[in-house]
Amino acid sequence: MSAVRPEIATVLNKAASTHTLSKDEIVALLGTEDEETRSALFRAADETRARYLGDAVHLRAIIEFSSHCVRNCLYCGLRRDNRRLDRFRMRPGEIFEAARRARAEGYRTIVLQSGEDPHYEVDALAGLIRRLKSELDVAVTLSLGDMTRETYRLLRAAGADRYLLKHETADPALFARLRPGTMLSERLKRLVWLREAGYQVGGGNLVGLPGQSLGSLAADLLVLKRYQVHMAGIGPFIPNPDTPLAGSPPGSPALTLKVLAVTRLLLPRVHLPATTAVSVLHPEGRQLALRCGANVVMPDLTPDPYCRHYDIYPGKARLGSEGPNSFAWWEKELARLGRQVGKGRGHGWEAGR
Ligand code: SAM
Ligand code: SF4
């Protein structure tokens, strides 16, 4: 660490030993551009991941089952006003079949994600979750957006284990602008509801949103720390040509990796996915993320032809269901990286493993 500026080395040592940092200290780490400091940050994050969680990487199969959405988030291709999107809804039986195939490949967690789509009644979702739990013996993660407290409770009672609800940005004004009709405080309140309902809770944010500063990113990480999330989905913003943010530049993969690394230092036990979005911007993005703190990969198991139409951002649908989306591919790839597939269902820190 000899070439690292002494004040930055002090911050890094503090982060690695106490897992706490002030907002200014986080900004200082995120703002460092020199190679030595970046390497030292990534090394510290990698060591923290190895010390607290070992070398296991949890593979979670994500099934994106509906591209209909009542919301109008400015960054997202599924937004209500995007008339160019060819929308789909999978039937519960089709979702179950996709999950059964994922389980047969080796996946032990099924992540069900969709736009906010009131078409699916709570009873139908609860029935699907019960069937997944009883017939497949998998952990079930939901990522269905904002719902009522009662709905969260009912889905938890049906057996859902985890819920992923990214706060997206901790800047209240930016949040309100990018997610019309919603407020940051309402989103954060839901993280509390979810925890109270007994879920392992996932938060997270986008990196590189137009109007987002390093200070605002530091606030994101402090939110994740304050809410003691079990998982943190952090990925770069990728502009979608069919959204109002079409002309905005994408988030930087380099900054995303730094944000991941600092998150690992602040939350040593958190489950941190190497996101698909980072691999869209950089061919080795997920592998790089796994070297600076990440310990989860979420391959897309949405069946054809649906997977081609869940167009949140460009490039995502092209990944297909072969290669980097198959369990066998990741087993080999992880061995190449000196890691191995996590055994069991890969629960969060409080729930045991
Ligand atoms: N509707 C649910 C919600 O918003 O929580 C879940 C589905 S939503 C498509 C899943 C995630 O996609 C969001 O949390 C957001 O961070 C991410 N996302 C949306 N648009 C994106 C973009 N243009 N670039 C990168 N990620 C994006
Ligand atoms: Fe809908 Fe989620 Fe996209 Fe917002 S981010 S438009 S809630 S799918």
Side-chain angles (χ1 to χ4, degrees):
M1 223 185 261
S2 55
V4 177
R5 288 207 323 272
E7 63 276 22
I8 294 290
T10 307
V11 173
L12 256 185
N13 286 334
K14 178 183 170 190
S17 55
T18 67
H19 307 303
T20 53
L21 287 176
S22 70
K23 188 170 171 185
D24 287 347
E25 289 168 334
I26 298 174
V27 170
L29 285 184
L30 296 180
T32 52
E33 296 290 351
D34 66 287
E35 197 46 49
E36 287 80 7
T37 308
R38 237 197 337 240
S39 305
L41 169 62
F42 293 169
R43 209 166 37 245
D46 201 40
E47 284 166 10
T48 301
R49 184 270 309 152
R51 176 149 37 103
Y52 283 87
L53 299 168
D55 288 336
V57 174
H58 299 288
L59 298 180
R60 330 266 206 210
I62 181 161
I63 300 171
E64 297 162 331
F65 65 89
S66 166
S67 60
H68 289 263
C69 190
V70 295
R71 298 252 182 244
N72 226 1
C73 306
L74 267 57
Y75 42 78
C76 179
L78 308 192
R79 66 196 305 271
R80 187 182 65 217
D81 288 354
N82 181 10
R83 308 264 175 256
R84 296 237 178 99
L85 188 66
D86 204 355
R87 308 229 181 214
F88 69 90
R89 277 188 186 110
M90 289 170 66
R91 290 186 305 278
E94 287 179 292
I95 303 170
F96 181 83
E97 275 313 304
R100 200 182 47 72
R101 281 193 296 275
R103 178 70 179 92
E105 269 194 55
Y107 293 98
R108 300 294 311 275
T109 291
I110 303 296
V111 184
L112 299 180
Q113 193 185 84
S114 68
E116 282 185 33
D117 184 2
H119 169 87
Y120 294 88
E121 295 189 350
V122 183
D123 285 351
L125 291 172
L128 171 64
I129 293 164
R130 269 194 295 274
R131 201 171 162 215
L132 290 171
K133 295 296 294 182
S134 64
E135 293 185 38
L136 300 185
D137 184 29
V138 285
V140 173
T141 303
L142 302 177
S143 174
L144 315 175
D146 293 349
M147 294 185 153
T148 65
R149 192 176 198 171
E150 186 54 15
T151 300
Y152 289 145
R153 281 204 193 116
L154 290 169
L155 298 180
R156 171 74 188 134
D161 301 275
R162 312 179 188 135
Y163 203 104
L164 180 59
L165 190 77
K166 290 163 67 173
H167 69 270
E168 314 293 359
T169 171
D171 174 337
L174 188 60
F175 185 100
R177 188 166 71 78
L178 296 180
R179 300 181 52 93
T182 69
M183 285 194 311
L184 177 63
S185 56
E186 291 292 312
R187 191 81 165 174
L188 292 175
K189 189 169 76 185
R190 284 178 167 75
L191 294 183
V192 177
W193 289 355
L194 288 164
R195 180 181 283 277
E196 285 172 359
Y199 288 93
Q200 295 165 54
V201 178
N205 58 278
L206 287 160
V207 177
L209 287 167
Q212 190 184 43
S213 62
L214 289 187
S216 145
L217 277 171
D220 283 322
L221 304 197
L222 291 173
V223 162
L224 298 176
K225 178 96 178 151
R226 187 171 342 122
Y227 284 81
Q228 286 288 303
V229 293
H230 298 92
M231 323 172 257
I234 297 174
F237 158 69
I238 303 177
N240 183 317
D242 298 327
T243 65
L245 300 187
S248 302
S252 130
L255 179 58
T256 305
L257 295 178
K258 284 191 274 184
V259 174
L260 284 174
V262 178
T263 305
R264 170 58 66 210
L265 291 173
L266 287 175
L267 288 150
R269 290 189 181 82
V270 77
H271 281 309
L272 202 53
T275 56
T276 305
V278 80
S279 68
V280 166
L281 293 183
H282 188 295
E284 289 275 302
R286 285 191 280 197
Q287 289 83 342
L288 291 171
L290 288 170
R291 290 198 173 102
C292 55
N295 72 321
V296 172
V297 177
M298 293 165 63
D300 182 1
L301 275 274
T302 311
D304 258 341
Y306 304 123
C307 60
R308 282 183 263 136
H309 301 297
Y310 197 83
D311 250 337
I312 310 176
Y313 45 76
K316 183 187 166 299
R318 280 201 303 276
L319 294 175
S321 54
E322 306 289 307
N325 278 331
S326 81
F327 195 90
W329 190 91
W330 274 106
E331 271 181 323
K332 282 207 199 88
E333 186 64 3
L334 291 177
R336 186 177 76 84
L337 300 174
R339 308 277 282 275
Q340 69 288 132
V341 177
K343 301 265 180 286
R345 291 179 293 174
H347 275 326
W349 42 270
E350 253 170 7
R353 311 189 72 197

